[in-house]
């Protein structure tokens, strides 16, 4: 029998750690052989992992070691909020790629819950970084997010046929698939956009009165939305675009449609939260003096990865950052690892206190630490954004279990002077990247 009780992280799925710990009760003659040499990580990373897992009382004692040397200290970073955390990590990923020649594919971001992926995915897209999300659905692949982005693109440019056709009848407004197919066919015949066909009285008079009125109402809705983006009176409002889009979603009853279409009320509210979290980022990366039209254009340019336009080429290239939940990362390894969200309530999860699973949460942290081969960064935030409002957070108690000799705070690390050797290496890498 082979196994590691320190990596038992699937108790919620029925895995029973006692199968490993109680072997001698069932087989008194069993011989235990410890496999303590690690072939992946540096001794600094292993030392930190050993120290953390020692706080679990019910386990088989073992101490991992490696012949790969001590390596770099673990970097501990503190951020004001999750969006600042995401932006900084993306900057570090790109710096490592350009200055240290560490490919995206050798870097991974680990997190406890799927909800944490939203600011990370947004920052990666804004930084033009390709990524693969493992262990959950991409925030930008969710139906409600795709609908909102299609609406935003259509508001900016009503002649965007792909976006317009997606949202023309979402929520239902009398523009059936048959109606939109007729309009699309007419637009091809007239060599114009679908929206132009919808505005043409010669075209709309061919439809029945009720359908024609639905078309006219939709045209009026989109023209009004497009015109509001150019309102100069809103150029000084730092939240103008967010407010405008949320009012638009209320006006078209999109939130009500989500609540109506979902059988589970919690699922509906989760979808609405996704939309409000996304709208809260609309004004974040541009100046308040810009028109909402300019802000929206900047946002959509940042959020749409070039790789989406040439997906096949990117997939064959294979160079992409891994975004992965801690439960999904077991058995994997990466030269550079970023563990984010080390806050009380996330890791350990808030449920662990009532369910008595604190030991399993600590094993999850142990698994996350031991995915790193060469460098490891751990971060936590003072606040996390929900519905655009910051909720205060407290550091995870697990951070206090990391031995000080293995950890280096980012602020202190930044104060240290660069050695001549590392400086030469940096400029050599920069020169190589230009070739």
């Amino acid at each position: 029998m082979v196994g590691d009780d320190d990596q038992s992280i699937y108790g919620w799925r029925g895995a029973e750690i006692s199968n490993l710990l109680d072997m001698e009760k069932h087989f008194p003659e069993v011989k235990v052989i410890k496999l303590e040499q690690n072939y992946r990580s540096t001794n600094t990373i292993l030392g930190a992992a050993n120290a953390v897992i020692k706080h679990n009382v019910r386990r088989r004692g073992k101490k991992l070691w490696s012949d790969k040397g001590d390596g770099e200290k673990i970097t501990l970073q503190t951020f004001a909020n999750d969006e600042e955390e995401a932006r900084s990590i993306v900057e570090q990923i790109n710096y490592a790629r350009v200055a240290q020649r560490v490919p995206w594919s050798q870097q991974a971001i680990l997190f406890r819950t799927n909800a944490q992926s939203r600011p990370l995915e947004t920052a990666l897209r804004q930084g033009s970084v390709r990524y693969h999300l493992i262990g959950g659905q991409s925030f930008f692949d969710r139906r409600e997010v795709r609908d909102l982005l299609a609406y935003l693109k259509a508001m900016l440019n009503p002649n965007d046929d792909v976006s317009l056709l997606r949202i023309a009848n979402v929520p239902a407004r009398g523009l059936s698939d048959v109606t939109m197919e007729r309009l699309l066919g007419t637009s091809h015949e007239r060599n114009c956009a679908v929206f132009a066909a919808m505005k043409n009285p010669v075209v709309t008079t061919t439809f029945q009165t009720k359908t024609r009125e639905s078309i006219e109402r939709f045209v009026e809705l989109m023209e009004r939305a497009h015109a509001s983006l150019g309102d100069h009176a809103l150029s000084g409002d730092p939240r103008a675009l967010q407010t405008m889009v949320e009012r638009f979603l209320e006006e078209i009853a999109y939130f009500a449609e989500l609540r109506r279409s979902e059988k589970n009320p919690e699922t509906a509210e989760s979808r609405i939260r996704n939309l409000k979290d996304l709208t809260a980022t609309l004004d974040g990366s541009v100046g308040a003096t810009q028109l909402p039209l300019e802000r929206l254009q900047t946002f959509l340019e940042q959020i749409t990865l070039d790789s989406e336009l040439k997906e096949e080429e990117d997939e064959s290239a294979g160079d992409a950052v891994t975004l992965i939940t801690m439960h999904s990362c077991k058995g994997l390894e990466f030269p550079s690892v970023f563990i984010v969200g080390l806050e009380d309530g996330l890791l350990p999860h808030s449920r662990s206190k009532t369910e008595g699973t604190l030991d399993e949460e600590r094993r999850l942290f142990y698994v996350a630490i031991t995915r790193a081969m060469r460098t490891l960064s751990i971060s936590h935030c003072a606040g996390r954004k929900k519905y655009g409002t910051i909720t205060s957070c407290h550091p995870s108690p697990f951070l206090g279990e990391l031995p000080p000799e293995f950890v280096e705070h980012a602020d202190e690390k930044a104060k240290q002077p660069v050695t001549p050797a590392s400086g030469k290496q940096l400029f050599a890498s920069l020169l190589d990247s230009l070739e």
Side-chain angles (χ1 to χ4, degrees):
M1 180 177 180
V2 180
D4 184 358
D5 54 307
D6 289 337
Q7 296 191 55
S8 179
I9 58 174
Y10 298 113
W12 51 276
R13 211 158 68 179
E16 182 51 67
I17 194 173
S18 63
N19 290 334
L20 283 168
L21 298 180
D22 298 339
M23 279 291 292
E24 289 87 346
K25 292 181 182 178
H26 304 291
F27 302 96
E29 302 298 320
V30 72
K31 181 180 180 181
V32 178
I33 301 173
K34 297 181 182 180
L35 304 176
E36 295 177 301
Q37 183 174 4
N38 179 282
Y39 297 89
R40 170 188 299 144
S41 309
T42 64
N43 281 306
T44 294
I45 292 169
L46 297 178
N50 288 332
V52 167
I53 204 63
K54 274 173 60 177
H55 287 80
N56 279 2
V57 176
R58 193 163 181 259
R59 61 183 288 266
R60 291 183 181 274
K62 64 185 77 71
K63 186 176 181 180
L64 299 183
W65 63 274
S66 168
D67 62 5
K68 294 185 175 294
D70 291 338
E72 297 182 25
K73 286 189 176 183
I74 297 168
T75 302
L76 183 61
Q77 303 182 84
T78 304
F79 297 100
N81 56 64
D82 49 343
E83 291 184 353
E84 181 183 307
E85 177 185 51
R87 284 195 299 269
S88 177
I89 286 172
V90 170
E91 289 172 0
Q92 293 171 58
I93 285 171
N94 272 332
Y95 175 81
R97 183 171 182 257
V98 173
Q100 299 169 348
R101 310 306 293 272
V102 181
W104 284 333
S105 59
Q106 292 186 13
Q107 304 186 67
I109 307 173
L110 278 52
F111 46 89
R112 173 64 176 85
T113 66
N114 286 318
Q116 292 171 256
S117 75
R118 196 274 307 163
L120 294 166
E121 288 191 72
T122 301
L124 287 163
R125 286 168 176 256
Q126 290 175 336
S128 300
V129 177
R130 291 193 296 269
Y131 66 91
H132 297 313
L133 179 70
I134 301 173
Q137 183 185 30
S138 170
F139 179 80
F140 292 94
D141 284 342
R142 293 168 183 170
R143 172 170 58 86
E144 67 277 9
V145 174
R146 284 182 174 271
D147 285 348
L148 176 56
L149 291 177
Y151 261 116
L152 295 177
K153 290 175 183 178
M155 288 167 65
L156 187 66
N157 176 22
N159 294 322
D160 180 344
D161 284 353
V162 174
S163 299
L164 190 82
L165 290 170
R166 180 180 178 92
I167 50 83
N169 205 41
V170 179
R173 52 173 64 91
L175 301 176
S176 66
D177 289 346
V178 173
T179 298
M180 297 313 297
E181 285 173 8
R182 278 184 60 186
L183 287 166
L184 179 61
T186 302
S187 72
H188 287 165
E189 292 171 3
R190 293 175 170 270
N191 196 27
C192 66
V194 173
F195 192 68
M198 297 177 85
K199 292 169 61 178
N200 191 332
V202 176
V203 174
T204 56
T205 51
T206 64
F207 290 89
Q208 294 182 355
T209 303
K210 192 173 181 180
T211 303
R212 184 174 69 252
E213 290 174 350
S214 295
I215 294 172
E216 290 170 352
R217 282 195 296 270
F218 179 72
V219 167
E220 191 273 334
L221 172 73
M222 297 310 297
E223 286 186 331
R224 182 158 37 88
H226 180 74
S228 65
L229 292 174
D231 188 348
H232 288 269
L234 298 173
S235 61
D237 184 352
R239 296 182 61 185
L241 191 53
Q242 176 187 353
T243 303
M244 183 185 302
V245 172
E246 288 186 359
R247 284 177 181 169
F248 179 81
L249 292 174
E250 290 283 4
E251 178 187 351
I252 64 173
Y254 190 86
F255 294 147
E257 171 66 13
L258 288 177
R259 292 188 177 101
R260 185 197 63 79
S261 62
E262 288 290 348
K263 294 180 180 178
N264 187 333
E266 290 184 9
T267 303
E269 293 307 315
S270 176
R271 291 184 179 278
I272 291 170
R273 279 198 300 272
N274 289 336
L275 294 176
K276 291 191 174 181
D277 283 345
L278 182 58
T279 58
T281 67
L282 288 172
D283 297 289
S285 59
V286 291
T289 57
Q290 287 185 311
L291 289 170
L293 182 75
E294 296 167 328
R295 299 187 209 180
L296 180 56
Q297 188 167 4
T298 301
F299 174 82
L300 290 174
E301 286 173 355
Q302 290 178 335
I303 219 69
T304 304
L305 279 172
D306 289 341
S307 59
E308 291 181 345
L309 305 176
K310 47 179 182 175
E311 188 173 342
E312 291 183 7
E313 178 185 330
D314 287 342
E315 294 227 345
S316 62
D319 188 19
V321 172
T322 298
L323 221 62
I324 188 169
T325 63
M326 294 180 187
H327 278 102
S328 298
C329 74
K330 185 177 174 182
L332 302 178
E333 59 185 26
F334 306 92
S336 297
V337 168
F338 297 85
I339 301 176
V340 301
L342 253 291
E343 295 136 31
D344 196 12
L346 277 178
L347 190 71
H349 198 278
S350 55
R351 290 195 304 266
S352 65
K353 297 174 182 177
T354 56
E355 297 174 355
T357 55
L358 184 63
D359 282 4
E360 183 158 321
E361 291 292 295
R362 186 178 282 108
R363 290 194 291 269
L364 191 58
F365 186 35
Y366 172 84
V367 167
I369 291 173
T370 53
R371 297 313 93 196
M373 299 169 69
R374 293 198 299 264
T375 64
L376 174 61
S377 172
I378 300 174
S379 59
H380 65 95
C381 301
R384 287 198 170 266
K385 186 175 283 188
K386 291 183 180 180
Y387 303 124
T389 302
I390 298 293
T391 303
S392 62
C393 303
H394 300 284
S396 167
F398 294 160
L399 291 174
E401 299 172 2
L402 294 169
E405 63 267 25
F406 296 135
V407 176
E408 189 172 37
H409 290 263
D411 292 342
E412 293 301 318
K413 185 178 181 179
K415 294 177 184 177
Q416 296 178 7
V418 177
T419 64
S422 61
K424 288 181 180 178
Q425 183 179 358
L426 169 62
F427 282 107
S429 297
L430 289 172
L431 284 171
D432 287 343
S433 68
L434 296 175
E435 292 180 357

